[in-house]
Amino acid sequence: MAMTVNQKTSAWVIGASGFSGAELCRLINRHPYLQLSRAFASSVANAKPLAELYPELATVVNIDLEVWRDQNIDQDPLPELVFLALPHEASAKLAPYFLQAGVVVVDLSGAFRLKELNKYPEFYNFKHPSPEYLQDASYSLMELIGDAELNNLISVPGCYPTVSTLALAPLIRENLLCEQQVPVITATSGVSGAGRQATLNNSFCSVSLGAYAVLSHRHQPEIAQNLGREVIFTPQLGAFKRGILATCSARLGKGVTPAQVEQAFQQYYQNQTFIRLVATPPKIAQVENTPFCDIYWAVQGSNIVISAAIDNLLKGAASQALQAANHKFGWPQPSGVML
Ligand SMILES: NC(=O)C1=CN([C@@H]2O[C@H](COP(=O)(O)OP(=O)(O)OC[C@H]3O[C@@H](n4cnc5c(N)ncnc54)[C@H](OP(=O)(O)O)[C@@H]3O)[C@@H](O)[C@H]2O)C=CC1
Ligand SMILES: CC(=O)N[C@@H](CCC(=O)OP(=O)(O)O)C(=O)O
């Protein structure tokens, strides 16, 4: 049975020891309508106060992490809302149990983002354990879904797809891009995008600006699905902690003017709290630790370059997840999101 604590809606975070999960705990902790009732890690070593893993949260978020066990679903009073900040395959297995118990699931992984089942073995390297949920999952790029209702399974967009889609969607939806020319997206992420688990590739001495997963990254089909057309997407890893800067280059359709481009961006985003249309190319520092996506564009003849930036752990993950929860439960969009 779902639980409401002190008039607030009860929420769990599973994966709270990870980077996105910890950000979520921080945001939920001061959300006016949500109560962070429990938070889970997977390893016994992380069964400790969250602030011991993230000292900056000391006196800010007072919660002890518990070790997640599947029996929690059958044995414990359940929350109304659960955030899954887990590896993709773990989310794909766990989400159905909560859904069957009537709990709203906000999943930060890629487990339910793609509608085509056969993309999972190809891009995620696993056979999907719960394919029947793929079509029902609501993909929550909030600035582009308008007033559409969200189902009980909410799939939060990936970090690169968030910034890339927000940069290109108004132009594509308004039919302003040349059909024959494939948009090219090159995006550089900070190392926190790879999660908290230390590996040689993300260690301090190894990271040096470079491309990876060229023409094979799992976010390519997600961006293409969002935009309804092919893109060339190249992710890069940069030697900084957090943030993504995406550069999108494309060709405008015949006769399309800079004024039409301006109008498209204004029409889509002028009332969106978390999009800022900026007059100079954004820098990562201006969006770091914020829930904003900053978008700049320049047109020369029929060429257009859009430069957009987000914080991967907030707009690319935790704050965007809260935007979706706010929409689902009918709370004002900025609740718990605006810093
Ligand atoms: N980092 C980013 O920029 C973004 C991440 N995401 C997505 O969010 C999800 C979390 O990412 P991130 O925070 O980076 O990941 P981390 O690697 O930092 O954290 C993963 C979390 O999941 C827990 N966990 C791992 N396996 C299991 C399991 N089988 N059952 C229960 N808990 C488990 C870990 O616990 P423990 O620490 O104890 O092992 C940890 O709390 C991923 O799907 C990721 O793709 C989405 C957008 C951006
Ligand atoms: C720098 C880095 O490694 N970034 C991750 C993407 C970030 C992420 O967590 O991906 P989702 O948004 O799909 O969950 C990667 O390329 O796999």
Side-chain angles (χ1 to χ4, degrees):
M1 180 187 293
M3 193 169 68
T4 302
V5 185
N6 300 332
Q7 311 301 323
K8 287 188 170 186
T9 297
S10 164
W12 289 2
V13 173
I14 309 183
S17 52
F19 283 158
S20 324
E23 284 289 355
L24 262 173
C25 291
R26 189 172 63 82
L27 297 184
I28 294 170
N29 186 56
R30 44 127 217 248
H31 191 289
Y33 309 109
L34 275 176
Q35 173 81 36
L36 178 63
S37 43
R38 296 176 77 179
F40 298 89
S42 77
S43 57
V44 176
N46 287 332
K48 51 174 70 161
L50 180 64
E52 277 190 30
L53 299 182
Y54 296 93
E56 66 274 24
L57 296 182
T59 74
V60 177
V61 185
N62 297 313
I63 195 155
D64 292 341
L65 298 184
E66 303 170 57
V67 177
W68 174 255
R69 313 224 181 272
D70 287 348
Q71 300 91 295
N72 291 118
I73 296 178
D74 299 322
Q75 296 170 356
D76 303 351
L78 295 179
E80 283 182 66
L81 172 60
V82 66
F83 293 90
L84 304 181
L86 301 173
H88 315 290
E89 197 169 0
S91 269
K93 287 184 182 147
L94 195 53
Y97 293 101
F98 283 104
L99 293 166
Q100 283 154 21
V103 177
V104 172
V105 174
V106 177
D107 178 30
L108 280 75
S109 84
F112 299 97
R113 291 182 196 146
L114 300 179
K115 297 297 175 196
E116 272 184 65
L117 181 59
N118 62 12
K119 298 277 190 211
Y120 280 91
E122 186 182 349
F123 287 95
Y124 282 82
N125 296 317
F126 66 87
K127 186 168 178 287
H128 207 290
S130 15
E132 66 277 22
Y133 288 92
L134 286 182
Q135 296 311 319
D136 255 11
S138 296
Y139 185 81
S140 61
L141 192 48
M142 298 312 300
E143 284 77 11
L144 294 174
I145 69 166
D147 292 334
E149 277 191 17
L150 297 173
N151 291 336
N152 277 3
L153 173 54
I154 297 170
S155 176
V156 180
C159 47
Y160 290 119
T162 296
V163 63
S164 309
T165 308
L166 290 171
L168 287 164
L171 304 176
I172 291 174
R173 291 191 176 184
E174 292 307 303
N175 209 16
L176 300 182
L177 292 191
C178 169
E179 301 270 349
Q180 283 74 43
Q181 198 83 24
V182 181
V184 175
I185 303 160
T186 306
T188 305
S189 171
V191 185
S192 61
R196 185 164 178 266
Q197 197 68 36
T199 66
L200 191 56
N201 285 344
N202 63 19
S203 77
F204 180 75
C205 289
S206 303
V207 177
S208 172
L209 181 59
Y212 65 100
V214 175
L215 296 177
S216 60
H217 195 277
R218 66 181 185 282
H219 287 169
Q220 186 275 331
E222 187 181 336
I223 300 168
Q225 176 178 279
N226 295 347
L227 296 174
R229 62 179 290 178
E230 273 315 299
V231 293
I232 296 174
F233 166 64
T234 309
Q236 301 185 148
L237 187 65
F240 51 94
K241 273 192 193 167
R242 55 199 289 169
I244 296 180
L245 182 70
T247 307
C248 310
S249 308
R251 186 65 64 88
L252 294 171
K254 207 164 188 291
V256 170
T257 63
Q260 285 174 286
V261 171
E262 166 86 29
Q263 195 192 357
F265 278 114
Q266 293 292 350
Q267 177 191 329
Y268 278 78
Y269 296 144
Q270 69 181 348
N271 296 320
Q272 295 294 344
T273 311
F274 301 115
I275 306 275
R276 301 187 298 198
L277 301 177
V278 293
T280 52
K283 297 193 163 99
I284 280 181
Q286 73 196 50
V287 292
E288 211 177 344
N289 294 304
T290 83
F292 296 111
C293 175
D294 284 3
I295 302 177
Y296 162 89
W297 67 91
V299 175
Q300 185 184 57
S302 58
N303 294 331
I304 181 164
V305 173
I306 305 117
S307 178
I310 60 168
D311 183 312
N312 55 303
L313 296 177
L314 288 172
K315 184 61 180 163
S319 68
Q320 171 154 249
L322 270 193
Q323 279 185 261
N326 288 341
H327 186 74
K328 175 73 184 170
F329 285 83
W331 302 317
Q333 269 294 289
S335 309
V337 176
M338 203 48 116
L339 305 173

